[in-house]
Amino acid sequence: MVVILDGKRLRNKILEGLKFEVECFDKKPSLAVILVGNDTASQIYVNSKKKTAEGLGIESKVYTYPDDVLEDTILEKIKELNEDSTVNAILVQLPLPEHINKQKVINAIAPEKDVDCFTLENTGKLFAGLEPNAYPCTPQGVLFLLDEYGINLDGKHVVVIGRSNLVGRPMGQMALMRNATVTICHSHTKNLESITKTADVLISAVGEVLIEDDMMKDDCVVIDVGISRGENGKIRGDVNFETVSKKVAYISPVPGGVGPMTIASLMVNTVKLYKEQIKRSL
Ligand code: GUN
């Protein structure tokens, strides 16, 4: 029988623990979010982050800017937030409009407030096998989910599909840090199936349906990070859940799998950065 990796349940458990922890703090932790443009998906994500934070007693301020905002305006806001000791965590929602230099903006965030692990200092630490100030939210959320179900990556073949800076690359690195043997596949990978068939854990982060039940072993753990909208308007993942869930040992659904874990992870990181900043200020 397949086990469904329930991200909603684990998110609720993590948030409950965090809420209790935050209640015990003298000062509220604070998360600042920068949102540029009117991408509907980004607006939905940001609203959800703000609502979740506030539900835990974390202060959350969203700074919204029009699509044609100057890069300098964003850089100035980040500088101001960096210098504001009441702000513990800063998140710049991606994607940013084309005219804005994403790397420059992200890298302007003070590394100790970089809640996404996007700055070069934190990514550098991550890829050097050192501890960043906070781990990237989605890969960390995937690991929380695997831990909850007692799935150990040591010595396992973890196949990641997708090489984005947001998910694929850090996911591969974090699995490697757990002593997995890691293969990262992408759009130029030849003979994808021959690789996925050897996966103990298959993590797909592509954004289109491409994982079918003949692509993996029976005892595979399938993690679906993909999110897209089907013709019927419904949210769906990269995995054909109908067929794959009948075959494998574990599977994360979409929605209700990795998505809720990303937000839980963001809250964990906000509290972590807050605690480290308090410690440093003592
Ligand atoms: N856009 C899509 N996912 C994310 C995320 O995890 N963090 C940020 N900052 N932007 C995103």
Side-chain angles (χ1 to χ4, degrees):
M1 263 295 275
V2 67
V3 175
I4 310 287
L5 303 170
D6 188 345
K8 264 194 205 162
R9 189 184 56 80
L10 180 56
R11 171 200 58 193
N12 293 343
K13 186 167 126 181
I14 291 172
L15 296 186
E16 218 172 277
L18 280 178
K19 189 166 184 225
F20 179 75
E21 200 177 348
V22 171
E23 273 167 14
C24 302
F25 295 153
D26 293 336
K27 241 175 37 165
K28 274 188 178 182
S30 148
L31 166 69
V33 179
I34 292 178
L35 173 62
V36 183
N38 42 21
D39 180 74
T40 314
S42 288
Q43 285 169 342
I44 294 171
Y45 289 141
V46 166
N47 276 338
S48 168
K49 288 168 184 179
K50 183 175 166 63
K51 243 175 76 186
T52 308
E54 286 172 351
L56 302 183
I58 295 172
E59 198 180 324
S60 173
K61 275 209 187 111
V62 180
Y63 300 91
T64 50
Y65 297 92
D67 226 2
D68 59 355
V69 66
L70 292 177
E71 186 179 288
D72 278 348
T73 308
I74 304 293
L75 291 171
E76 271 163 38
K77 176 50 79 179
I78 293 176
K79 186 166 181 283
E80 183 192 313
L81 296 169
N82 285 342
E83 287 166 1
D84 183 346
S85 63
T86 66
V87 172
N88 306 110
I90 303 171
L91 181 151
V92 175
Q93 184 67 27
L94 300 180
L96 289 170
E98 290 274 312
H99 71 280
I100 292 180
N101 182 334
K102 180 177 88 175
Q103 208 51 51
K104 193 170 171 191
V105 164
I106 282 170
N107 223 28
I109 300 171
E112 67 274 15
K113 298 189 179 185
D114 174 18
V115 74
D116 271 315
C117 191
F118 279 175
T119 60
L120 286 178
E121 178 168 326
N122 283 318
T123 31
K125 281 184 178 166
L126 180 72
F127 281 88
L130 304 171
E131 195 176 335
N133 289 294
Y135 285 95
C137 295
T138 300
Q140 176 173 250
V142 169
L143 294 184
F144 285 162
L145 200 53
L146 293 173
D147 289 344
E148 175 72 5
Y149 287 85
I151 300 163
N152 184 355
L153 296 185
D154 200 311
K156 302 269 174 65
H157 185 202
V158 173
V159 175
V160 180
I161 309 179
R163 55 176 160 174
S164 71
N165 286 343
L166 208 57
V167 185
R169 280 170 212 259
M171 187 72 251
Q173 173 63 10
M174 287 167 76
L176 184 63
M177 286 166 78
R178 296 258 182 124
N179 296 320
T181 301
V182 176
T183 305
I184 299 187
C185 302
H186 47 79
S187 51
H188 290 232
T189 298
K190 294 194 174 73
N191 220 338
L192 179 66
E193 263 184 59
S194 70
I195 301 169
T196 56
K197 274 183 175 154
T198 68
D200 299 308
V201 179
L202 178 60
I203 303 175
S204 184
V206 176
E208 60 184 90
V209 181
L210 85 169
I211 309 294
E212 299 291 339
D213 60 346
D214 55 359
M215 291 175 70
M216 76 276 301
K217 301 189 291 182
D218 289 357
D219 59 351
C220 190
V221 177
V222 178
I223 304 291
D224 193 349
V225 188
I227 193 155
S228 56
R229 225 170 252 285
E231 278 149 27
N232 55 6
K234 270 195 180 167
I235 295 284
R236 62 182 189 186
D238 293 353
V239 177
N240 183 341
F241 187 86
E242 267 299 294
T243 55
V244 174
S245 62
K246 292 193 175 78
K247 172 176 175 137
V248 298
Y250 296 87
I251 186 167
S252 73
V254 175
V258 174
M261 294 310 303
T262 298
I263 293 219
S265 204
L266 174 67
M267 300 302 131
V268 167
N269 284 354
T270 302
V271 171
K272 179 172 189 274
L273 296 182
Y274 165 88
K275 288 199 288 194
E276 274 161 17
Q277 284 159 39
I278 297 279
K279 226 192 295 172
R280 251 181 252 135
S281 70
L282 293 177

